[in-house]
Amino acid sequence: MTILCVRFQLPPMREAEAALPGLLGLLEEFTPVVEALPPDGALADLRGAERYFGRSAVELASVIRVRALALHGVDCVIGAGPGPMLARMALRDARPGLTRAVPEGEDRVREFLAEKPVVALPGVGAATARTLCDYGLDTLGRVAAAPLSTLQRLVGAKTGRELHEKANGVDRGRVVPNAVSRSLAAERPFERDELDPDRHRRALLSAAGELGARLRALEKVCRTLTLTVRYADRSSTTRSRTLGEPTAHSAALTRTAYGLYEALGLQRARVRAIVLRAEALGPADQASHQLSFDPVDEKVRRIEEVADRVRAKFGPGAVIPGALAA
């Protein structure tokens, strides 16, 4: 095991924004090859650390967990594997206090993957999963056993080849060191595990509105929007989308958030929390904006400016969308 995928059990999002860099610094005490996975995770390549400390990656994971608790008061769940993809998949089965490691050896890796649903494979979206399931390829074991030519006819030449390799345990990914980019996040936890898609959408509307208001107050725009959905079983799904143009317009952020949510294809999912993160921030005065002849869009933007002034004077709850009034 050489790669760790760590997800920190962080506090509410505004505190998490300050906590994550310090936790990444903790990982960098063991290896300089650390890749941040906002909002609450990281990949760490421990090949050099295993030789230097004379311990396995799983043993080092236990030390990392203890230090995170002692120094930051944050627990974490950790998956370990020979590559980033397998470490991410192991993380799905991990629990606080217990590192989940993919068994070593090609045959044991294939056995680990065989019974998992095809949607569990990183990079496989809802549309690809539906296509494969329509032809009976609903587990990674069946995908691995399918002829390469069949997969390529179903999902395309490049995607089919990558899918065939990954289902057979071939992990060509690598950890790319990076820093935590400047970002803003808004979290909407539910009092109980929520099944109602309408409540999910209202949470998205509220979170997008908060992000837009905070961006405009800071005179910033974002280029990328990331949605994280946390489920009742402690697992989560994260999807990102690059916006057509950098923006702080709440309506544009809301449309993108709805698109990310719909693409997940959730059906009666028990959702514990929804997190929106605005990433790749830049100065608003340096951002380009495509002019529109749509009077409705211009009217909405003017209303947004007035609403911001009202909120600044009377508080964030002074003006809210009608859908959230109830």
Side-chain angles (χ1 to χ4, degrees):
M1 301 302 103
T2 57
I3 307 297
L4 296 184
C5 185
V6 184
R7 188 174 73 239
F8 299 105
Q9 306 291 297
L10 293 176
M13 292 308 300
R14 294 202 185 190
E15 297 177 31
E17 291 172 8
L20 186 57
L23 291 165
L24 294 177
L26 170 63
L27 295 176
E28 289 170 351
E29 294 177 7
F30 294 86
T31 173
V33 189
V34 176
E35 179 178 349
L37 300 176
D40 57 1
L43 288 169
D45 188 335
L46 296 183
R47 280 177 292 186
E50 287 180 309
R51 293 192 295 270
Y52 182 82
F53 292 103
R55 297 188 179 186
S56 70
V58 174
E59 292 173 328
L60 291 173
S62 299
V63 178
I64 290 169
R65 179 181 293 108
V66 170
R67 288 195 179 182
L69 279 168
L71 300 177
H72 300 274
V74 173
D75 201 354
C76 55
V77 290
I78 304 176
M85 179 196 75
L86 292 168
R88 287 173 183 259
M89 297 189 71
L91 181 68
R92 292 172 176 264
D93 300 329
R95 294 291 182 270
L98 177 66
T99 300
R100 179 70 165 94
V102 177
E104 296 188 36
E106 293 183 4
D107 292 338
R108 299 188 70 185
V109 168
R110 292 194 187 97
E111 184 180 344
F112 169 80
L113 295 172
E115 297 303 319
K116 294 190 177 296
V118 67
V119 75
L121 195 66
V124 174
T128 301
R130 281 195 299 270
T131 299
L132 294 171
C133 291
D134 287 344
Y135 288 87
L137 303 175
D138 55 346
T139 66
L140 292 179
R142 291 175 178 173
V143 171
L148 175 60
S149 58
T150 299
L151 294 175
Q152 290 179 321
R153 283 197 299 271
L154 292 177
V155 298
K158 181 180 178 180
T159 303
R161 182 174 61 254
E162 292 177 350
L163 186 61
H164 189 264
E165 288 183 349
K166 290 179 179 179
N168 279 283
V170 178
D171 190 350
R172 301 188 185 277
R174 62 190 183 94
V175 180
V176 180
N178 64 358
V180 181
S181 61
R182 181 77 174 99
S183 62
L184 295 175
E187 181 176 16
R188 293 296 181 270
F190 296 105
E191 293 182 359
R192 57 181 63 86
D193 299 333
E194 187 57 66
L195 294 167
D196 188 353
D198 289 337
R199 292 183 179 272
H200 298 167
R201 290 174 67 87
R202 285 199 289 273
L204 290 170
L205 174 62
S206 173
E210 178 188 328
L211 284 182
R214 291 170 65 190
L215 286 168
R216 294 189 296 274
L218 294 171
E219 298 183 348
K220 298 286 188 180
V221 292
C222 74
R223 183 70 182 180
T224 302
L225 194 66
T226 297
L227 168 65
T228 299
V229 180
R230 293 181 178 143
Y231 306 106
D233 62 355
R234 295 179 179 271
S235 66
S236 63
T237 302
T238 300
R239 294 289 185 271
S240 295
R241 183 169 297 178
T242 300
L243 303 171
E245 62 181 23
T247 187
H249 185 31
S250 293
L253 296 175
T254 300
R255 286 194 298 270
T256 304
Y258 285 166
L260 287 166
Y261 174 79
E262 296 298 336
L264 293 178
L266 302 180
Q267 295 184 358
R268 296 198 58 78
R270 297 170 59 204
V271 175
R272 182 157 294 176
I274 287 175
V275 183
L276 273 184
R277 179 176 289 272
E279 300 178 316
L281 305 191
D285 58 2
Q286 297 180 17
S288 60
H289 170 55
Q290 178 64 48
L291 296 177
S292 172
F293 293 103
D294 182 3
V296 174
D297 181 70
E298 186 61 27
K299 182 179 179 181
V300 170
R301 289 178 183 270
R302 288 201 302 269
I303 292 173
E304 190 173 69
E305 292 175 4
V306 174
D308 285 342
R309 291 197 293 270
V310 173
R311 293 189 189 102
K313 185 173 183 179
F314 298 104
V319 179
I320 61 174
L324 301 178

